[in-house]
Each structure stands twice: as structure tokens, then as C-alpha cells.
Amino acid sequence: ARPKPPKRQLVLAPGLPPIELRARDTIVLYGDSITEQNLYTEYLETFLLWRFPDKDLAVFNLGWGGDTASGGTKRFARDVAPVQPSLVFVNFGMNDGGYKAFDGYSADRHAILGRVDGIDGLYLATAFSGSGFKIAPAVGQCMAELVIEGRAKTVDIEAFSLRRFADGRTVEGPYPYAVRPDYVDPKAKT
């Protein structure tokens, strides 16, 4: 006898229960500018249709450029409810905070890598100030190890923890970074 194919489930993240798609589902991708852009939403729709070819899936992109979580709450009844979705992916946040270009230096001009004490599940890989691109693969590997295994094994990144500033430690090396001419000291009084 031929074995039955495995049951296909939609697993969103480790530790969360899988979502059982029905024979016919209506899925709404609901959010702000990034949702409206239709890049990740197209990837998600393509994945769902490829992964579940036996399902009748209707996927709607209801992103609205410039919208916020508050605005999304206000337009839910108008835009989402009439579609009667069985599954909704909600993606807001890009327009909810202030953001601007900045030069991402830390106080000692070195990266900040690691978990944030007191906030479970929050990890930082920031303050590269442009130099992060060349080391991104190694940082990604180390951060993945930290998140999954509890510590970075490829390279010890503890010296770059956010905690170092509270402990009064800085990263010092034989070749310190020179201050750029356009650098503005965040501690300087203007």
C-alpha cells in the first residue's frame, strides 16, 4: 500500500500551533505602506498557493500606504470585515513611530549585539554605522546561534552586549576607530 502524504500545515513560528487551512479559505494581508507595496505579500501569496495547491485560497492585499495601527483599527470594519476572511495577517508599524536617517554610532563606536536584559525575545544587532554590511553574514550566524542555542558559538559576541555600557565597559582594540569629520557627539551640549 502506498503511504499517505503528510498533512500539510501552515506553521508561522516555532512553538506556535500550526494553522489548519480549510478546503476553501479567504486570507487578508492587512497593513500599511509595506503591505500595500505588494512585495512580501506577493511572496506570501505565492508560497501559500504553491504549498497548498489542493486548497481554494482567495488572497486579498488590503495594505494602505501611510496608514498606522490606529488607522487600521478604524478601517477594519470598512475594509476587512466585508471580505469575511478566515485568516488575517496584520502588519503595521512602519508609520507608527518617528524615523529619520541617522548615523548609527554607539558610545564606544562599536556594534551592539545580543539580548536586551529584562525584555524576553528582544535582541539587538545595531550601531554598525555603515560597516555592518561587510560583516552581516557573520553577525547573522552569531545572532541566530544566540537566539536558538542561547549563546553565539561561531564568535564570542559578549563584549558587544548592550550591558557593557551600564557596566562601564567599552570595546577597545589595537586599532581604534578615528572620529569622522562629520561626527556629532551625542553627549556634546549644543
Side-chain angles (χ1 to χ4, degrees), residues 68-122:
T68 61
S70 173
T73 301
K74 293 174 185 165
R75 70 182 177 89
F76 188 90
R78 182 192 74 200
D79 295 352
V80 178
V83 178
Q84 297 181 329
S86 46
L87 181 60
V88 179
F89 288 87
V90 180
N91 302 288
F92 286 97
M94 192 62 202
N95 301 309
D96 286 291
Y99 57 93
K100 63 178 182 169
F102 73 99
D103 204 354
Y105 287 109
S106 66
D108 65 3
R109 304 178 67 74
H110 289 281
I112 300 170
L113 304 173
R115 67 177 54 85
V116 175
D117 294 336
I119 306 176
D120 288 343
L122 180 58

Side-chain angles (χ1 to χ4, degrees), residues 22-29 45 48-49 55-61 83-87:
R22 299 179 298 200
R24 171 176 273 175
D25 270 312
T26 300
I27 300 169
V28 167
L29 307 170
E45 180 179 6
L48 289 170
L49 295 174
K55 306 288 185 188
D56 182 13
L57 302 177
V59 181
F60 294 88
N61 180 340
V83 178
Q84 297 181 329
S86 46
L87 181 60

Side-chain angles (χ1 to χ4, degrees), residues 127-140:
F128 297 101
S129 188
S131 65
F133 182 78
K134 63 186 172 188
I135 60 171
V139 169

